[in-house]
């Protein structure tokens, strides 16, 4: 992550859905195992995007979000970040 990077806020647990946007403000990587990332909360998504919806979209087929569980940070491509969450079917 780099300052200025856009983020999706994703709820794990029972909800399993992307619920909002945020932006990286700063990164302190002095401890490589536990870098400290400060974020600025952005806006909520109008409609949460469930993990099931994300998995059903072919653009996310290779994303660590759908291939590996229990990740704290998952990179998304610019294309993935810009997907209209109302059009996640296929």
């Amino acid at each position: 992550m780099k300052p200025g990077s856009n983020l999706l806020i994703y709820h794990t647990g029972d909800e399993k859905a992307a619920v909002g946007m945020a932006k990286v403000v700063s990164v302190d990587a002095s401890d490589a195992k536990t870098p400290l990332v400060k974020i600025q909360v952005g806006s909520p998504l109008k409609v949460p995007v469930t993990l099931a919806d994300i998995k059903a979209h072919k653009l996310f087929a290779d994303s660590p979000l759908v291939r590996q569980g229990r990740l704290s940070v998952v990179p998304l491509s610019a294309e993935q970040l810009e997907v209209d969450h109302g059009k996640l079917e296929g």
Side-chain angles (χ1 to χ4, degrees), residues 12-77:
T12 58
D14 292 339
E15 190 173 1
K16 291 185 179 64
V19 296
M21 299 295 297
K23 188 169 287 240
V24 175
V25 174
S26 64
V27 178
D28 176 357
S30 57
D31 180 351
K33 283 192 165 194
T34 55
L36 299 174
V37 179
K38 290 186 181 180
I39 67 171
Q40 178 181 13
V41 176
S43 58
L45 297 180
K46 291 178 184 176
V47 176
V49 181
T50 67
L51 181 58
D53 289 339
I54 292 168
K55 284 182 174 183
H57 195 287
K58 63 185 173 190
L59 187 59
F60 293 88
D62 291 330
S63 174
L65 181 61
V66 301
R67 289 185 297 114
Q68 299 171 279
R70 313 289 288 163
L71 296 176
S72 297
V73 177
V74 178
L76 295 178
S77 69

